[in-house]
Amino acid sequence: MAPTLLWIGLGNMGRAMCKNIVEKGNLDSPLLIYNRSKQRAIDLSQKLSAGKTEVVESLVDAVAKADVIFTCISNDEAVAETVATLLQADVKGKLFVECSTIHPDSTQATADKLLAAGAEFVAAPVFGAPAAAEAGQLIAVLAGPAASVERARPWFQGVTARAEIDLTDAPYGKATTLKVIGNTFVLNMVEQLAEAHVLAEKSGLGTQPIHDLVSALFPGPYAAYSTRMLTGDYHRREEPLWAVDLARKDARHAKALAEAAGTRVQNVETADAHLAKLKEHAGASGDIAGIYGTVRQEAGLRFENDE
């Protein structure tokens, strides 16, 4: 019999990963799904094949039924709160797979609590935009004891992920150190694109040649973010792909890691300052691509690029 799985946290990434587990995973029982806002779990369950998921209300009861528990939660505080609830159940022998983007110290603290209660733990942050998650094309980073990683791997390889960075037997925090540093690439990319498009517009070159160059030279995420900026998606979408508060959390973790290591991430500092202005302008619904709007404002343009 395949293990019973419980998935906690249904943001953009969590919903997409659940879809792929249901469609491509080797499940003998419904995937248990939980979200703090129950309606989101109900909506997801209704979109997936009948009988493939089960919405749960009590985490303690759900853990009792599950063999493998995935967490994909917004921030460090939410992870700590959720784990405290999970530990009200008997977790001996159960495998916890932590996919959230949190500080490495939070990862280790989470592992310590669960291991002390007799559980197994794998740190498993993932790289990729929501579209990649939807397509099962994420890059998974797996850290933990070899036996535990082997238990977790079947739900990533060929299911939710196209590739793996193997940190078997490495300290748990190394996985989230890589995740935090890796996310600075996206922060820096968005900042660079925003500055380039604004400079092109203000100098008279126009934004289309920049977009054509980016599409030819850096296809993939660069071109996608460029498109989101130029089409106005950055200020029109109702649900952010990477919400401003989550982006600022990752920037904060990166800056803290750099300070502890005796260095700086100055590009991230610049991007974070623009994210702060984005939060003032758009509130919690602001999307990271909205950095473009704040750079536009600093150059004397409107936040929105509509004529």
Side-chain angles (χ1 to χ4, degrees):
M1 290 285 291
T4 297
L5 272 54
L6 165 63
W7 189 282
I8 303 169
L10 298 173
N12 288 326
M13 302 299 283
R15 294 197 302 270
M17 293 176 77
C18 284
K19 178 185 81 73
N20 282 290
I21 287 174
V22 164
E23 292 177 353
K24 295 183 282 185
N26 179 28
L27 296 178
D28 292 327
S29 56
L31 171 66
L32 307 176
I33 56 175
Y34 175 88
N35 195 69
R36 186 158 41 184
S37 170
K38 182 183 175 183
Q39 189 59 47
R40 181 168 285 188
I42 293 171
D43 291 345
L44 175 64
S45 183
Q46 291 175 344
K47 288 179 182 177
L48 299 176
S49 299
K52 293 291 189 178
T53 58
E54 178 185 335
V55 176
V56 297
E57 296 188 47
S58 166
L59 281 179
V60 175
D61 292 344
V63 168
K65 296 170 62 176
D67 303 299
V68 182
I69 298 95
F70 292 85
T71 44
C72 189
I73 308 174
S74 58
N75 57 46
D76 304 53
E77 294 76 19
V79 169
E81 181 182 325
T82 300
V83 169
T85 301
L86 297 174
L87 285 170
Q88 295 174 26
D90 181 2
V91 300
K92 290 184 179 66
K94 298 180 186 293
L95 171 65
F96 289 79
V97 184
E98 216 324 281
C99 300
S100 312
T101 302
I102 55 179
H103 192 283
D105 291 348
S106 298
T107 303
Q108 187 61 54
T110 300
D112 289 344
K113 292 173 184 175
L114 290 165
L115 294 171
E120 294 184 46
F121 184 84
V122 169
V126 293
F127 287 101
E134 188 77 16
Q137 295 293 298
L138 295 172
I139 300 169
V141 183
L142 304 184
S148 300
V149 169
E150 281 303 312
R151 284 183 70 185
R153 186 168 280 133
W155 312 107
F156 293 96
Q157 226 171 48
V159 177
T160 59
R162 65 176 174 84
E164 176 190 325
I165 298 174
D166 185 5
L167 294 180
T168 297
D169 291 330
Y172 295 112
K174 283 191 178 293
T176 37
T177 298
L178 176 59
K179 174 59 175 172
V180 169
I181 295 174
N183 276 7
T184 69
F185 282 75
V186 182
L187 287 166
N188 295 338
M189 173 184 68
V190 174
E191 177 69 28
Q192 180 58 57
L193 281 168
E195 293 179 10
H197 278 312
V198 170
L199 174 57
E201 181 172 347
K202 294 283 288 188
S203 67
L205 171 65
T207 56
Q208 190 59 46
I210 293 292
H211 181 70
D212 292 342
L213 173 64
V214 167
S215 298
L217 193 58
F218 303 118
Y222 264 91
Y225 268 101
S226 179
T227 298
R228 293 188 58 214
M229 292 176 184
L230 298 188
T231 60
D233 175 83
Y234 70 94
H235 64 82
R236 291 199 188 98
R237 65 171 37 255
E238 294 182 5
E239 182 179 5
L241 290 181
W242 190 2
V244 60
D245 288 340
L246 297 183
R248 293 208 71 198
K249 176 257 299 180
D250 291 358
R252 184 172 66 251
H253 287 337
K255 291 189 290 183
L257 286 175
E259 182 178 2
T263 186
R264 289 177 65 185
V265 281
Q266 295 184 59
N267 289 344
V268 173
E269 292 171 12
T270 300
D272 189 39
H274 285 140
L275 286 169
K277 292 181 179 179
L278 171 63
K279 178 66 179 289
E280 291 177 6
H281 180 90
S285 63
D287 180 272
I288 186 175
I291 284 176
Y292 178 45
T294 66
V295 176
R296 287 174 56 83
Q297 286 180 315
E298 289 179 346
L301 302 170
R302 293 178 62 249
F303 181 90
E304 297 82 5
N305 62 347
D306 297 332
E307 292 298 333

